[in-house]
Amino acid sequence: MHDLSDLNQRFEKAAPQDILGWAVETFGRDLAFVTSFQPSGLVMLHMLYDMGVQANVLTLDTGLLFTETNELIERWEQDFNLKVTRIRPPQTVAEQTLTHGAALWERDPDHCCALRKTAPLGDALIHYQAWITGLRRDQSAARQDTRIVSWDTKYKNFKLAPLATWTDEMVWTYIHAYELPYNALHDQHYYSIGCQPCTRAVASGEDTRAGRWSGRAKTECGIHLPQPLESGA
């Protein structure tokens, strides 16, 4: 077992590339990179590309993504010779409608996220000893205590957040410096982009995650919460 306290102390002021390098060296092919192709994920994808690392890239394809998100994934696959594994739920949106009724995300968004995100990711992460996320402490109050390396009690593996100490400004400075392709919706004030039915543009003065599950107390899809997995369909 790795000493998490020592690792976090060691990595607190380390460059993300050093953390990624340690993760690749330590876990090898048992390391997954999970990304929704938002800015933090793009930065680390490019860092790995620059390091010559062919990562196991996983993305959750819920069947409800924006067209712009799918276009961005395809562009990264082409421009960076990226091999992306799309994690899909057992049911299509149409099949979910037959089982649970129309627009489950409106009536019970937690259940919808469990069916289309949390449980499918859990099934995929069974095959990996560790996974990389784009969590940053500045993203929300719920994420301000994010550790760079932790033990994920939900998925029973190591969870790494190499950009935990970075700010939004640092992320975008990197993206512009390397002229990386990013989701066109960001230029339309969509700061945090998830499924189309549960995401809206953010108004001036609002929190950057205010556009997710707007009007609800819900702020996370469940992937980064410690609760046990729901059983699914």
Side-chain angles (χ1 to χ4, degrees), residues 84-96:
V84 180
T85 299
R86 288 167 171 77
I87 307 302
R88 296 183 173 94
Q91 291 187 315
T92 65
V93 176
E95 289 169 341
Q96 178 174 292

Side-chain angles (χ1 to χ4, degrees), residues 12-219:
E12 182 64 24
K13 295 184 179 180
Q17 292 92 332
D18 293 337
I19 302 169
L20 290 168
W22 172 85
V24 171
E25 181 180 353
T26 302
F27 300 106
R29 299 306 297 172
D30 290 323
L31 175 68
F33 184 101
V34 181
T35 179
S36 56
F37 285 81
Q38 298 199 68
S40 292
L42 302 181
V43 167
M44 289 187 288
L45 280 176
H46 182 262
M47 288 177 175
L48 289 168
Y49 174 82
D50 208 36
M51 294 161 63
V53 174
Q54 275 280 5
N56 297 310
V57 180
L58 312 182
T59 193
L60 286 164
D61 185 351
T62 63
L64 295 166
L65 301 180
F66 284 92
T67 298
E68 290 86 348
T69 301
N70 285 313
E71 289 174 347
L72 179 65
I73 295 171
E74 292 170 3
R75 182 171 177 186
W76 271 79
E77 287 179 311
Q78 179 178 347
D79 291 0
F80 296 93
N81 193 30
L82 199 64
K83 296 179 181 179
V84 180
T85 299
R86 288 167 171 77
I87 307 302
R88 296 183 173 94
Q91 291 187 315
T92 65
V93 176
E95 289 169 341
Q96 178 174 292
T97 296
L98 290 175
T99 305
H100 300 282
L104 179 62
W105 49 85
E106 293 180 357
R107 294 178 287 105
D108 192 347
D110 286 335
H111 192 198
C112 189
C113 284
L115 293 173
R116 310 204 72 75
K117 289 186 174 183
T118 314
L121 181 61
D123 292 339
L125 288 180
I126 288 173
H127 306 290
Y128 298 95
Q129 293 181 24
W131 62 300
I132 296 170
T133 82
L135 291 178
R136 301 196 323 268
R137 294 170 187 166
D138 74 331
Q139 289 172 325
S140 69
R143 299 181 177 186
Q144 64 184 358
D145 295 323
T146 296
R147 303 184 79 191
I148 296 170
V149 187
S150 59
W151 176 254
D152 193 323
T153 57
K154 176 182 290 183
Y155 296 124
K156 302 298 186 291
N157 56 12
F158 292 97
K159 181 177 180 178
L160 294 90
L163 291 187
T165 64
W166 273 37
T167 64
D168 189 61
E169 181 180 2
M170 293 167 71
V171 168
W172 280 103
T173 296
Y174 186 103
I175 288 174
H176 292 312
Y178 289 96
E179 299 181 341
L180 302 182
Y182 60 86
N183 198 315
L185 291 172
H186 288 304
D187 292 331
Q188 301 174 39
H189 307 292
Y190 286 79
Y191 296 121
S192 178
I193 303 170
C195 293
Q196 187 274 331
C198 299
T199 307
R200 66 164 175 81
V202 174
S204 177
E206 284 188 310
D207 182 84
T208 56
R209 288 183 63 83
R212 303 292 296 276
W213 305 286
S214 182
R216 298 179 180 273
K218 181 177 175 65
T219 59

